[in-house]
Structure formats: structure tokens, C-alpha cells
């Protein structure tokens, strides 16, 4: 018979493969483009392609289900930042429409391109921490 301690809150054995995965550290690692498990290996290659597995800890990453989530979150964040800012700039300074369009078009595209891979990494980190999709433990 094996001697494993049992967690007091549940009947889950307190072994390394059954320890709770912390959500915020995993999401921050993903935000930085690192493996949500170890924080060392790269998560993405190219712009948005996810590695099949971590080169450091061998965590499988191919079964993530980020899909349209990062794009939706990017649109949500950029829209909530740029729309009020556009209104404030227009009301306070009344710039020429072509100038206003140019500045906000460039700002919107730049912010979207900056946020998209970071939000994708954070979403994959969230999925890993919550054992969603293929990130569940076997056994």
C-alpha cells in the first residue's frame, strides 16, 4: 500500500501531479510568451503560432483551444480604450477629421498588434491552470 498524504479539503492525494495550478502566475507567463508550466520555454513562434510542446519542460501545448478568444479580447480592450479617448480628443481640441482618423487608425492597429499575442499567451496560461481542454491531468 502506498503512503501518500491526502489533502484535508478533499479526497485528492497531495502529490505533485495533483497539486493546484495557480492561475495568475500561469497567465503572466503566457502574457510574456513563456510556457505556462515552467515559465522558461517559448510559448509562441512566429507571431501567433503555438509550439507543440515546451522545449524546456516538455509540457504539451498543441491541444490549446484559444480559437477566437484572443481576438475578441483584443477588440474588447482596444475598443474600450480608444472610443473614450477619441471622444475626449474630439471634444477638447476639435482636430481636423483626417488628422484624427490618421492618429487613431495608427494607434488602434499598433495597440491591437501589441495585445493580440500577449492575450493569446495569457488565455493559454488560463486554460493550462484550469486544466481546460487537453491540459487536464491523465491518470
Amino acid at each position: 500500500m502506498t503512503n501518500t498524504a491526502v489533502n484535508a479539503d478533499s479526497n485528492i492525494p497531495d502529490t505533485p501531479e495533483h497539486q493546484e495550478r495557480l492561475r495568475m502566475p500561469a497567465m503572466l507567463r503566457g502574457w510574456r510568451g513563456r510556457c505556462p508550466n515552467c515559465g522558461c520555454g517559448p510559448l509562441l513562434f512566429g507571431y501567433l503560432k503555438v509550439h507543440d510542446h515546451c522545449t524546456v519542460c516538455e509540457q504539451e501545448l498543441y491541444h490549446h483551444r484559444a480559437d477566437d478568444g484572443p481576438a475578441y479580447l483584443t477588440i474588447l480592450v482596444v475598443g474600450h480604450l480608444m472610443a473614450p479617448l477619441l471622444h475626449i480628443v474630439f471634444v477638447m481640441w476639435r482636430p481636423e477629421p483626417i488628422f484624427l482618423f490618421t492618429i487613431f487608425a495608427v494607434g488602434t492597429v499598433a495597440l491591437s498588434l501589441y495585445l493580440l499575442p500577449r492575450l493569446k499567451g495569457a488565455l493559454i496560461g488560463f486554460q493550462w491552470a484550469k486544466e481546460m481542454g487537453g491540459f487536464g491531468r491523465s491518470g
Side-chain angles (χ1 to χ4, degrees), residues 59-77:
Q59 171 69 49
E60 293 177 343
L61 301 169
Y62 65 87
H63 41 61
H64 73 87
R65 294 290 175 251
D67 299 331
D68 292 336
Y72 173 77
L73 291 174
T74 300
I75 292 168
L76 186 72
V77 170

Side-chain angles (χ1 to χ4, degrees), residues 37-102:
N37 186 29
C38 68
C40 295
L43 180 64
L44 302 174
F45 67 95
Y47 182 63
L48 290 174
K49 300 281 186 184
V50 179
H51 282 283
D52 288 338
H53 65 280
C54 176
T55 56
V56 177
C57 70
E58 298 299 322
Q59 171 69 49
E60 293 177 343
L61 301 169
Y62 65 87
H63 41 61
H64 73 87
R65 294 290 175 251
D67 299 331
D68 292 336
Y72 173 77
L73 291 174
T74 300
I75 292 168
L76 186 72
V77 170
V78 171
H80 278 83
L81 290 175
M82 296 306 261
L85 188 60
L86 176 65
H87 177 72
I88 291 167
V89 168
F90 183 74
V91 169
M92 291 182 73
W93 293 291
R94 298 277 180 186
E96 290 294 320
I98 192 71
F99 177 75
L100 194 65
F101 168 76
T102 303

